[in-house]
Amino acid sequence: MGEEEPNTSSANSTLGPEEVTFEKQSSLEKQPTNVPTKQATNVVVYPETDLSQGIIGWESQDDPENPQNFTDSKKWILLSLISAFTFVSPLASSMFSPAVVYMGDEFGETNSTILALSVSIYLIGYTFGPLFLAPLSEIYGRRIVLSCANWFFVVWQIGCALSKNIQTLIVCRLFAGIGGSACITLGAGVVADLFPRETRGKATSIWSMGPLIGPVVGPIAGGFLGEDVSWQWVFWLLLILGGTMQLGIEVFNKETYAPVIIKWKVAKMAKELGRTDLESAYEVGKEKLSTGQILKRSLLRPALLLIKSPIVALLCTYMSFVYGLLYLFFTTISDVFTSDYGFSVGLSGLAYLGIGLGFAAGLFIMAITNDKIVAKMTASNGGKFEPEMRMPTMIIFASIIPISFFWYGWTADKHVFWIVPIIGMFPFGVGMMGVFIPIQTYIIDCYPAYAASANAALTATRSLVGAMLPLAGTPMFDSLGLGWGNSLLGFIALIFVPVPIVFIKYGKTIREKWPVNL
């Protein structure tokens, strides 16, 4: 395999591999460098082919093979394909939730913790999958890793549907989660591959729809399927949807990771020209590593980011907290509206629309404002962009999140008319979207060369919390009640409100003081 991609450092962390450039040297003693730079006008300069020095890059700055130069229609089609599957995979995380009671009746399982585990184990797959799928995509390319993982997800739906006991179902759900985690993780890399900084906010907003809206739509469909057909049809539907989406991806998807594309080009030109001295512009001046060394370093990359970068660790902690609150919400909604409001299992899924509409509103706000705010702040900063410019709006959205816990908790506790607690979930949906999108875009801006690995750290940590925290939700609400149980979450959310201020004020200092050599 080819050598590992170029490193980023604190000085150039806002530049990705697609933005690498080098200065052509006239002396044979001088070696071209792969230090990422930009022209004074902030125009990205891409590395070009220089056969006299044995360097293979793009044919020109406008090379149509460079993913950054794809037409807008091609870019959005590719992103839409990834986003479509990114909706199906999170759909599977919660779609089974309302139907789990029917599965429990069939298998004779009454332990609430085991039943909850059969749902949340899927997110454990989200915890482990990104840690090796993301680095592999930075070695072998996005397309092949995404394709294999998506088909892996689809195949395990068959195992879930045909399970004869709960143990088999839990194992199949775990493996399905591992496969389904690819689109959640690699989407960040595809956004970095295709879109310049100026449009990444909008692109990230569209890609983020799936991971946030999928878990909301899931219980709605799953409730009616479990009630009117069978719980097995939850998985047959996921098989049909996933298989159809992946067939479309197979037809239209293209490789987008620049270093891998150039690596293929090097191999092709070396064969055509009969030269053995050709080298990728993305690997110039780098240490030559064996395949084993590349794999080892790449697979460690998400852990290195999490352990050695305080800003990544802090963002992971904050995102995990908010994500955990979402799944704690999910533990109560179905029971509240079936037990206290007399909804059927199918109708109880409609209660999730409060959060879902909040997500849609938050997504719309972020899509039309995020890039514009960054552009304005960059202009006022003398044209110099800083990733922390993604963060100011987080203060507002973080302040909105706690509202829902007090509103929903006490109105549900006092059995206020059913529409009131549903509306009470709306602020949480808006706030969560307004927190997630800036964090994910910030990570892409900081580590575009390794956006998939950086996002893997976010995905793994938040999925672990999302899987484990709901297991404690039922005992907590049984002890404190809906009112005080949700109020406790609301007070904790209030404590976290100032966290975005820390990111805005000290994020750059922390990021530059503790750079990570990837």
Side-chain angles (χ1 to χ4, degrees):
M1 294 298 123
E3 283 73 39
E4 196 180 18
E5 308 79 37
N7 291 330
T8 53
S9 66
S10 61
N12 55 44
S13 62
T14 59
L15 300 176
E18 73 279 3
E19 300 164 342
V20 173
T21 185
F22 59 87
E23 206 175 293
K24 294 182 181 178
Q25 307 290 331
S26 58
S27 169
L28 293 177
E29 288 78 24
K30 294 182 179 179
Q31 294 295 327
T33 64
N34 64 344
V35 178
T37 61
K38 287 190 178 183
Q39 295 175 339
T41 56
N42 278 335
V43 176
V44 176
V45 180
Y46 306 108
E48 295 184 13
T49 296
D50 185 351
L51 285 175
S52 65
Q53 296 190 48
I55 295 171
I56 304 299
W58 305 109
E59 292 309 302
S60 70
Q61 295 301 299
D62 300 318
D63 190 338
E65 296 301 313
N66 184 346
Q68 290 276 324
N69 294 330
F70 286 175
T71 62
D72 287 344
S73 59
K74 189 173 184 179
K75 288 182 179 182
W76 290 109
I77 288 173
L78 288 174
L79 184 65
S80 297
L81 288 169
I82 305 298
S83 299
F85 206 97
T86 307
F87 170 78
V88 174
S89 176
L91 188 74
S93 71
S94 61
M95 194 173 181
F96 181 54
S97 181
V100 73
V101 293
Y102 301 110
M103 180 273 294
D105 290 342
E106 182 173 326
F107 291 156
E109 182 60 64
T110 57
N111 188 313
S112 60
T113 302
I114 297 298
L115 292 175
L117 180 63
S118 68
V119 177
S120 63
I121 192 67
Y122 185 85
L123 292 180
I124 299 296
Y126 273 19
T127 301
F128 293 109
L131 298 179
F132 63 89
L133 292 175
L136 287 176
S137 79
E138 292 163 353
I139 299 174
Y140 302 109
R142 317 287 191 205
R143 192 181 190 281
I144 184 65
V145 175
L146 185 67
S147 179
C148 291
N150 285 354
W151 283 120
F152 192 76
F153 163 85
V154 170
V155 168
W156 282 105
Q157 302 309 316
I158 301 174
C160 292
L162 297 179
S163 295
K164 300 302 182 184
N165 54 64
I166 196 167
Q167 294 86 353
T168 303
L169 177 64
I170 288 174
V171 171
C172 291
R173 289 270 291 168
L174 172 63
F175 284 116
I178 291 174
S181 69
C183 54
I184 304 292
T185 309
L186 304 191
V190 173
V191 169
D193 296 342
L194 293 175
F195 296 92
R197 188 190 66 225
E198 293 76 16
T199 56
R200 279 179 188 158
K202 181 180 179 181
T204 304
S205 298
I206 293 174
W207 166 65
S208 297
M209 289 177 63
L212 295 177
I213 295 180
V216 174
V217 176
I220 299 174
F224 286 111
L225 276 175
E227 185 177 58
D228 297 332
V229 189
S230 70
W231 64 266
Q232 287 92 343
W233 261 98
V234 168
F235 302 109
W236 291 128
L237 181 60
L238 289 170
L239 171 69
I240 295 168
L241 290 175
T244 303
M245 292 291 184
Q246 185 53 32
L247 283 174
I249 292 175
E250 293 290 354
V251 173
F252 296 105
N253 199 14
K254 303 289 185 182
E255 181 55 55
T256 62
Y257 193 50
V260 168
I261 296 173
I262 296 300
K263 182 176 68 175
W264 294 344
K265 185 176 180 181
V266 170
K268 181 180 178 182
M269 292 190 69
K271 184 177 181 180
E272 291 176 350
L273 300 175
R275 292 180 59 173
T276 59
D277 62 326
L278 300 183
E279 184 177 18
S280 167
Y282 294 102
E283 298 168 352
V284 172
K286 288 186 59 62
E287 178 186 2
K288 308 304 179 185
L289 302 174
S290 67
T291 301
Q293 290 172 319
I294 294 171
L295 282 170
K296 180 179 179 181
R297 181 175 293 184
S298 298
L299 293 173
L300 287 175
R301 194 173 291 133
L304 286 175
L305 277 167
L306 189 59
I307 295 170
K308 292 191 174 183
S309 172
I311 195 67
V312 172
L314 289 170
L315 288 169
C316 286
T317 301
Y318 186 55
M319 180 179 270
S320 298
F321 166 72
V322 177
Y323 199 68
L325 292 179
L326 171 68
Y327 277 85
L328 277 172
F329 248 142
F330 285 174
T331 64
T332 67
I333 292 175
S334 183
D335 286 342
V336 166
F337 285 90
T338 53
S339 302
D340 297 346
Y341 288 96
F343 283 28
S344 67
V345 173
L347 286 176
S348 68
L350 296 175
Y352 293 84
L353 285 176
I355 294 179
L357 292 174
F359 283 158
L363 172 69
F364 178 76
I365 294 170
M366 294 306 300
I368 64 175
T369 62
N370 191 258
D371 289 327
K372 291 180 180 178
I373 291 172
V374 169
K376 186 175 181 179
M377 293 183 69
T378 301
S380 64
N381 193 38
K384 184 180 179 182
F385 167 77
E386 298 289 350
E388 287 71 27
M389 293 174 180
R390 299 285 183 189
M391 302 259 180
T393 56
M394 281 178 61
I395 301 171
I396 300 171
F397 289 103
S399 302
I400 295 173
I401 288 175
I403 296 172
S404 285
F405 293 101
F406 300 106
W407 184 340
Y408 163 78
W410 287 109
T411 55
D413 185 80
K414 302 304 180 184
H415 303 116
V416 179
F417 186 58
W418 59 267
I419 193 65
V420 179
I422 291 178
I423 295 174
M425 302 176 205
F426 181 84
F428 179 85
V430 175
M432 185 172 176
M433 189 67 79
V435 166
F436 264 47
I437 291 175
I439 289 177
Q440 289 182 315
T441 313
Y442 173 87
I443 287 291
I444 293 172
D445 287 337
C446 284
Y447 303 99
Y450 304 108
S453 287
N455 190 62
L458 290 175
T459 304
T461 51
R462 78 172 187 244
S463 298
L464 182 62
V465 172
M468 295 292 100
L469 201 56
L471 298 179
T474 301
M476 181 185 75
F477 288 113
D478 287 344
S479 177
L480 298 177
L482 282 173
W484 283 113
N486 280 286
S487 293
L488 174 62
L489 299 177
F491 287 126
I492 296 173
L494 280 172
I495 293 172
F496 274 79
V497 166
V499 170
I501 300 176
V502 176
F503 294 143
I504 296 166
K505 190 171 183 179
Y506 302 107
K508 180 181 178 181
T509 302
I510 296 172
R511 176 168 52 85
E512 293 183 347
K513 187 175 181 179
W514 287 282
V516 183
N517 182 9
L518 298 176

